[in-house]
Amino acid sequence: MKSPGKLGFRQKIHLSFAGLVILVAVNALVGIYTAYAIAGQIGLQEGVAGIVNDILRLRDSTERFVKGRSRQDENQTFTDIERIRQHLVQSPENGERLASLLPRLDDYRLHFQKYVVEIEQRSALESRVLQQGRNIMAALADARIQRVA
């Protein structure tokens, strides 16, 4: 090969064009890599957004249960907890970053279960107290009837 100073005009044009083609190819490869990286980040963000939506849904169902104490809201809360757990476990790319949520989710489930049990115990106690009040009123009515007779 001749030195660049001794190359003819046509050869210099061919080398310049070859250099330009190489630069365009490198630029295209960098663009493709960047597009894949951006697509991967978008996928991660969509996964996180889904988990955030599930957590907001969990908060709403818990608030509805606290206010209304319905069995349906209780079951919905447990369903929401399980849905979040499944999202965390099934998405390995997010699972590593969000692994700290699993123990917190387990704590949430445990405390919610305790809360439900305490609500049920309180309801049972209220029912017994009301029944005892009715029993006292019935005994008082019986005592009045016996006193009159």
Side-chain angles (χ1 to χ4, degrees):
M1 185 168 179
K2 297 180 184 177
S3 68
K6 295 182 181 180
L7 293 176
F9 182 71
R10 184 175 283 196
Q11 290 173 332
K12 287 180 184 179
I13 295 269
H14 286 342
L15 282 175
S16 297
F17 184 70
L20 182 63
V21 168
I22 290 171
L23 287 175
V24 168
V26 168
N27 190 21
L29 290 175
V30 169
I32 290 170
Y33 173 77
T34 303
Y36 278 119
I38 290 171
Q41 286 297 319
I42 289 172
L44 290 174
Q45 291 302 319
E46 287 174 349
V48 170
I51 292 171
V52 168
N53 286 337
D54 289 342
I55 290 172
L56 292 173
R57 200 174 304 123
L58 170 64
R59 184 192 65 188
D60 291 343
S61 61
T62 302
E63 285 179 3
R64 281 193 311 273
F65 175 75
V66 168
K67 291 178 182 175
R69 296 184 183 164
S70 75
R71 186 66 69 181
Q72 179 182 2
D73 291 330
E74 174 190 343
N75 292 335
Q76 184 61 46
T77 299
F78 285 119
T79 301
D80 292 341
I81 291 171
E82 190 56 34
R83 182 182 302 119
I84 293 169
R85 172 174 278 294
Q86 291 303 317
H87 273 114
L88 291 174
V89 171
Q90 290 176 354
S91 60
E93 63 277 352
N94 286 331
E96 294 174 9
R97 295 182 333 162
L98 302 174
S100 66
L101 287 179
L102 286 173
R104 292 173 190 234
L105 193 62
D106 292 338
D107 285 345
Y108 189 90
R109 176 192 297 273
L110 177 67
H111 286 93
F112 185 73
Q113 285 173 334
K114 287 180 181 178
Y115 179 73
V116 169
V117 168
E118 288 178 10
I119 292 292
E120 290 172 354
Q121 289 174 345
R122 182 176 176 180
S123 295
L125 287 173
E126 288 173 352
S127 176
R128 281 188 248 157
V129 166
L130 290 174
Q131 184 59 41
Q132 291 299 324
R134 286 190 285 269
N135 291 345
I136 290 172
M137 292 306 290
L140 180 61
D142 287 345
R144 284 186 186 166
I145 291 173
Q146 289 176 356
R147 184 173 169 212
V148 171

